Amino acid sequence: MKSNTHPTYGPVAFRDKSAGTTFLSRSTLSTRGDLPTQTDEDGTTYPVFDVDVSAASHPFWTGNARVLDSEGRVEKFRRRYGRR
């Protein structure tokens, strides 16, 4: 493998502002210099990347998903075209 062709892969804290949660993972975003930093309880500093939606705030994973189509496809076809 060639050297200096791949970005460094390091720990990054992902923050979901809508849910107020933060989780630690590894990413190539750690090489960006424009990310703010966050200090963990043990004193380790991680770059922080803000995400719009995570498993903590997504309606499917939180159980707040709405059922948009409660009518079946066949019933919908029959109602629309009047066929039985």
Side-chain angles (χ1 to χ4, degrees):
M1 188 162 68
K2 290 182 179 180
S3 61
N4 298 328
T5 58
H6 299 286
T8 57
Y9 187 70
V12 175
F14 290 94
R15 179 174 47 198
D16 184 356
K17 287 195 169 192
S18 62
T21 59
T22 304
F23 59 94
L24 185 65
S25 184
R26 295 178 55 86
S27 174
T28 58
L29 290 170
S30 63
T31 59
R32 287 180 53 176
D34 61 340
L35 293 177
T37 59
Q38 173 181 337
T39 304
D40 204 6
E41 293 89 18
D42 61 353
T44 309
T45 304
Y46 300 109
V48 178
F49 187 77
D50 292 326
V51 294
D52 294 331
V53 178
S54 70
S57 64
H58 194 279
F60 180 79
W61 298 110
T62 59
N64 296 331
R66 294 180 291 161
V67 177
L68 297 177
D69 185 26
S70 61
E71 188 177 22
R73 290 182 181 177
V74 174
E75 290 81 13
K76 190 182 225 181
F77 176 82
R78 288 180 180 161
R79 182 181 51 82
R80 184 179 292 166
Y81 297 107
R83 297 185 182 160
R84 299 214 180 256

